[in-house]
Amino acid sequence: MKMTAMSIPFPPSGSIPGTNPSLTSPVKLQAPMAPTAVETPESNVSLSFNVPFSSNLAGPDVEDILHASPGAVERWLHPEGTPDGPPTHKLPVHSGNVEALRKLCKEIAESNKERNLDATVTVSEPKQIATLRRPKGLVTNVCLSGRVDVVGQMRGRILREMPVAMKCATVDIDCNLVIDAATDAVRANVLEHLDLVAKYTGTDIFLLAPKQTDPETNASFNGGPDAGLDQRLRVAIYGDMESSEHAKTRVLIMIDQILKRTVDAMKLELSMHTLICGRSRKNIKLIESATNTAIYFPPPFPQVYGYTPPGATRRSEDEVFITGEKPENIVLAKQKLHELVMGTKCFVKDAMVSPNKIDSILLERLEKVKKIMETNGSYVQFPPLGSQRGVVRVQGTEVLHVERTVREIMALAGQFYSATWWILLPDPNASNSFRAPSSSDIRAMLSDVCMNSGADVSFDKLTFSINGSDDSVKTALFVIHQIPFVNKAQYQMRIKIELANEHKEFVSGKKNGKINKIMSQSNVQIIFDGFNEYNFYIDVCGSQYKATTVGLDLVEQEMPASISFHVPDQYHKRIIGIGGQHIQRIMKKYSVFVKFSNAMDRGGIGREDDDIKVDNVICRTPARNAASLDLVKQEIMDMVEQVDADHVQETVHINRLYHRELITRMNELEELEKKWNCKIIFPSTEMASDSITIAGPEYQVPQAVDEFLGMVPESHEIVLPSSAELKEYLQSQEFQGEVHGPLKARYEVDLHINKDDQADTDSSIERLLLTYTRNNAGGLRDAIDFLISRLVAHGLDATTIKGAIPRPKSDSFEESLPFFDSKLLQHAPPPLVTESPTKANLGPEENSGVSIFEKLRKPGSMSSISSFLDRRKHHTSSPGSFFRNGSSNGSKASLVSIESQNSAYRNPWNDSGVNLAEDDQHHWPTKAEGSKFPFSSNGGDITPRHDLRTSVDSGTAARPSTSSSSTGYPAPIGPPR
C-alpha cells in the first residue's frame, strides 16, 4: 500500500455575490476496481437477502398535522375506516414499496429469461425465540437464482433502485417566523414553499404542532428540551436518506430567508469537504464565527444508495450553500474557504475490504463512518452499494489521520462475520441414498434462514455461504442446523473472524498456547490466515455444530476486551511509578495490560490533538476477564486529583438559531474553555440540532455549563389586570425598593413593565417581562411567587394572572397535612431541572373536546392556528407542565457515563497479550458438556461475549466501536509500529 501526497491548486474565486465560483480539486477520488468473486460465471447459485425497508417507520399523529404536502397524508396515514391499531408496516407507503419491489423482481426475471434467472419476493415476520436474536417487525426477502455474475448484478440493482434506509428528518421552527399575526394562521407563502420543496426533492413534508412533553420525565439536568423550545412548530420530512437530507437543508435555507439572510452557493469537490472542515469541523466553525454566516454541506455519500424518487431532483454532490446577513459576509466566507483549499495537502490510501462487508457497513454502520470522518477530518469513498468491489479509498490532510481512519474502518469490518457450511456427499456405494433439495425447496429454505437471522445466505453445489453481523451469522448457522436434510448428512463448517494484526499474538498466546488448548478441548481446527496489512482472519473449522460453536465461543472469549479513557499527561509518571512498579502491580493484580500515550506519541506537542481530550490510556485483557477493566480504571483514576478526574460530556439544549450568536463570541468561549479546561462542541449547521456538548473533567464541567448558560438570555412574560392602585404602585419608588431590587439581588431576574411596544396595547392590563440568563432559570418560579405576593397586597387578584407558574402536584405527605402551615413542614421541592420556561402559558384554560378537524379546514391547509396551539399547551395532566425544566444548577456529570456503559469495543494495540491464571478465572468446557454457544439479544455490536459491566465509566470496552457507541477511540493513538 503506497500513500501519496498531493498539493491542490486552486483557481481564483469570484467576488461578486450571487456567483458560484468553482473550487474543484484536480484529484477526484474514484473507487478503484477490485477482483470480484472467484466463482466462474457458468456456475449457478441461489442467493437470499433482506431488503432493508424501514417498515417500522411510522407516520405522524393525525392530531398533530397542521399542513401536509400533496399526497403525504394518503401515503403516511391509514385510510379512513381502518380498524384501530393496524401495524405500521401496513401503511400505504410501506405496502407500496413492497409492491414496487415485486414489480422490479418480475421485470428482472422476464428480462433475463435466457439466463434462467429467477427472482422471488417473500414478506413475513420472523419467528421470535427468546434465546435467539431475530429481526423485529416485517421482513422483506428476495431470493435470486441464476448465474453467479448475474445474481450479484441483480442484487446490487435491487438495493440501489429501492428506497432503503428511509428516515424522518425534523426541523423545529419558531411560530413567530411563520404565523401571520393578522390572520392567526401560517402564512400561505410558507406552505407553498414547503409543498415546492417536497415536490422538488421527492419527499413528504408535514407541518406539525409543537410536541407535548411529560414534565415528570423531562425533569433532569438538561435532560429534556427546554419548555420554550417545545413551543416551536415541527417540520417532519419523510423520505430516503439522501432526499430527506436535501429537503431538510432546503427548509433550513427557507428559515434563513425568512430571517432576511442572503443565500448563495458555490461548487466544491465532494472529497474535499471534510478535509477543509477540519477535525470536529473546527475550521468551518471559525469561518462561521468570523463571517456570521451559515454553511451547509451536502451529505458525504451521494452515490452510495443511488435511489432517486420519481420526478425528484438530487442535490448536486459538490454544491455548498452559504447564508449570511449581508452579501459581503458571504464573499468573505468564500474567500476563507478559498484559503483553506489552497493550504490543503492530501494523502490518499486504498484499503482492501470484503465486498460483502462493505455492503453491510453501508447499510448498518454509515452513521458511524460519518462520525469517524468528522473526528479525523478525513474522507472515505466507498464503492456503490452491491457493486461487488472490495476497495475503499481514504483521503486526509495528514498521514496520521489517514492511518487512524483506515484502522477504524477495519475495526468496523471486524464486526461482521462470514461462514461456510459444506454438505458432504455420501459414499455412492452405500445403500442409503441422498436426495438433494429441489429448486423450490432451496428458495423456501434460504428465505427462512435469511428472514430469521438477518444474514445474507447463498446456496451453491450443496454449500451454504453466510455473511452478516456476528450474531446474525451465528443465528443463521443455528437455523441451518435445524434443517432435516442438513442434519442427516455429513458436513464441514468454517466461521471466519476478522481481527487487527496487532492482536494475533494476544489471541494465540505464547507459542500458540491458547489456540492449541481450544482446539484440543473443543475438537475444532483454528487457522490464522493473513488478509491485508491491517487485518487477518481467524478460521474456526469443525465437523460438528455444537463443537464448532463452543470453539467459536472460546475464541471470542480470548479476543481483546479493552477500555480507554483520558488521564492528563502530568499524572502519567505518578501512576507508572519508579521503574513502572505502580502500574506493574496493578497489571499483575488484575491480569490487565495498561498502555499510556503522551502528546509526543500522538504526533507532537502543539497539534490539534492537544485541544481535544483524546483517550490516552488503554487497558486490555481477554474478554473473559472484562470485568476487571473497570476495577483497573478506578484504581488509576484514584491517583488523579478530582479537578482533573474522569473526562465526561454534558449536553445542553439551546435554540439552534441562537448558536450563531454564541459562535460570534468565540473569544469568550475560548476563555471559558481555558478557565475550566473544557471543550465546547457545537453541532454542524446542517444537523439543525439544539444540543451543544461540553466535555471536560467531571468536576469542572458543571461550572463550565453554568457559565456557558450565563451567556444565554431568556425572558418570561406575565399579564395581569390593571387597576388604579396597582398602576400607581408599579410606578412608585416603593415598588423599586421592595420588588425590583430584591428580584435582581435574590433571583438574578430583571423586571420590565410595559416594555417597548407593549405600552401601546390595551390599557386594562399590565405586562411584566422578567429577563434572566439560562443558568438562573431555576429561580424563576420563586421570583414570580415573590412578585405576586407583593402585588396581591395592592389590589391584585392572584387568580386572574396569566403566565404564573403553578407549583407541581404535592406528594402524599403534604396532602395528608393540608391544615398545617409550618416552616418545619416544607412543601415538596420542584423537580430537578435547569432548562427555562421561556414562554409559559399565557392563555386561559380550555378543556373543550374540539377536534383538530373542527378547527382546521383540512389537513392540507389551515384557517386558524392559535386556538389549536392554545388547546395543546393547556392539555396536560400536571400543572407542573407550565414549568417543565426550571431548576437549580445541579449536574448529572457523574451520570453521563451510565449512557456509555454499553458502548463496548475491542481496541487495536500493539503488545504481546495477557495470559490469565486459569485455575480460578475460567472454566474450559469439554465436549461432554455440550454447547455453551450464547446468542446475544443485543444485535451484532457486542463481541466477544462477556458479562455486562457492573460499574460505569466514560470509556468503552469489549469490542470495536459500533453504531451504538459514542465515545472512545478504536485505533492506536500513536503511529503504527
Side-chain angles (χ1 to χ4, degrees), residues 44 62 115 130 133 363 450 501 525 530 550 644 728 782 787 803 869 892 920 945:
N44 289 333
V62 63
R115 300 181 179 180
R133 169 201 176 266
L363 292 173
C450 185
N501 289 330
Q525 185 178 9
V550 168
D644 295 317
E728 180 181 355
D782 294 332
L787 173 62
L869 297 181
K892 69 168 186 179
D920 58 348
R945 302 287 172 253

Side-chain angles (χ1 to χ4, degrees), residues 535-733:
N535 288 4
F536 73 101
Y537 282 127
I538 302 176
D539 292 355
V540 180
C541 308
S543 57
Q544 295 180 353
Y545 170 77
K546 291 184 178 180
T548 306
T549 53
V550 168
L552 175 64
D553 182 34
L554 295 178
V555 171
E556 287 182 331
Q557 291 297 320
E558 293 302 329
M559 295 173 71
S562 60
I563 181 173
S564 57
F565 51 93
H566 177 78
V567 173
D569 289 358
Q570 64 266 27
Y571 295 97
H572 288 190
K573 290 184 178 180
R574 178 193 305 181
I575 297 172
I576 295 173
I578 301 175
Q581 57 181 357
H582 290 170
I583 198 64
Q584 289 289 346
R585 177 185 58 82
I586 295 175
M587 292 167 60
K588 184 177 180 180
K589 177 180 178 181
Y590 296 103
S591 296
V592 173
F593 176 80
V594 181
K595 174 75 174 180
F596 290 84
S597 171
N598 56 28
M600 295 299 294
D601 296 332
R602 298 193 300 271
I605 299 177
R607 284 180 174 265
E608 201 173 348
D609 296 35
D610 298 328
D611 296 332
I612 305 173
K613 295 299 182 293
V614 297
D615 293 341
N616 56 8
V617 179
I618 180 171
C619 307
R620 192 170 71 201
T621 188
R624 52 191 166 96
N625 188 43
S628 299
L629 292 173
D630 294 308
L631 302 177
V632 172
K633 180 191 174 183
Q634 185 61 45
E635 190 157 341
I636 291 176
M637 296 308 298
D638 287 343
M639 305 181 193
V640 180
E641 296 179 5
Q642 287 187 347
V643 70
D644 295 317
D646 285 352
H647 187 74
V648 298
Q649 292 185 343
E650 195 77 68
T651 301
V652 295
H653 300 276
I654 298 174
N655 190 313
R656 67 173 186 84
L657 294 178
Y658 195 74
H659 291 188
R660 300 169 182 175
E661 299 291 334
L662 293 172
I663 291 176
T664 58
R665 304 165 66 179
M666 189 62 71
N667 292 335
E668 298 179 44
L669 295 178
E670 290 177 354
E671 293 179 1
L672 188 152
E673 291 177 338
K674 293 179 181 178
K675 179 179 179 181
W676 300 110
N677 192 25
C678 292
K679 191 71 176 177
I680 301 174
I681 305 172
F682 287 87
S684 61
T685 308
E686 52 271 7
M687 285 181 60
S689 173
D690 297 315
S691 301
I692 297 176
T693 302
I694 301 179
E698 181 178 6
Y699 293 87
Q700 301 278 61
V701 167
Q703 290 89 336
V705 170
D706 182 79
E707 187 170 337
F708 177 71
L709 293 178
M711 302 170 65
V712 183
E714 292 194 351
S715 62
H716 180 83
E717 187 181 56
I718 298 178
V719 180
L720 43 88
S722 180
S723 65
E725 180 184 0
L726 184 61
K727 186 180 294 292
E728 180 181 355
Y729 177 66
L730 292 176
Q731 298 175 356
S732 65
Q733 292 295 328

Side-chain angles (χ1 to χ4, degrees), residues 482-500:
Q482 309 301 318
I483 299 175
F485 94 92
V486 176
N487 261 329
K488 296 177 181 178
Q490 295 182 352
Y491 55 82
Q492 290 284 343
M493 301 171 55
R494 182 184 66 187
I495 305 170
K496 298 179 74 70
I497 304 174
E498 191 171 346
L499 193 62

Side-chain angles (χ1 to χ4, degrees), residues 939-959:
D941 288 349
I942 299 181
T943 304
R945 302 287 172 253
H946 59 84
D947 295 334
L948 294 178
R949 296 179 295 177
T950 56
S951 60
V952 297
D953 59 84
S954 59
T956 51
R959 68 158 297 124

Side-chain angles (χ1 to χ4, degrees), residues 48-51 98 101-102 105 119-125 138-143 443-444 446-448 451:
S48 179
F49 61 96
N50 294 334
V51 180
V98 175
L101 176 63
R102 294 184 188 276
C105 289
T120 306
V121 178
T122 306
V123 180
S124 178
E125 294 188 23
L138 193 71
V139 177
T140 304
N141 178 267
V142 175
C143 187
R443 287 194 292 269
L446 293 183
S447 296
D448 184 64
M451 297 177 69

